[in-house]
Amino acid sequence: MEHQPAAAWLTEAATSAVQQHGAGNLLRVVLIVMFLGCALTAWFLLRGYKRKDD
């Protein structure tokens, strides 16, 4: 197994997934990444409201 950069590996995986199974797997991965990104962004933005001003 040869070493490949992450971007090349993801591109190869995405193109092979589209060719073999249609856009279903790719769409699933995009939705999961989007959901995790939204959750992390919400956590980052809302954690500032937890501070107590005494």
Side-chain angles (χ1 to χ4, degrees):
M1 180 177 200
E2 63 186 60
H3 177 71
Q4 294 182 347
W9 182 82
L10 287 172
T11 304
E12 183 180 336
T15 54
S16 68
V18 170
Q19 290 173 354
Q20 292 176 1
H21 304 288
N25 288 339
L26 181 62
L27 181 60
R28 189 175 299 128
V29 170
V30 169
L31 288 174
I32 290 170
V33 169
M34 184 179 66
F35 178 75
L36 290 175
C38 289
L40 287 173
T41 302
W43 172 78
F44 179 75
L45 291 175
L46 293 174
R47 71 183 181 136
Y49 292 111
K50 194 172 154 181
R51 288 190 229 142
K52 295 182 180 178
D53 295 329
D54 288 336

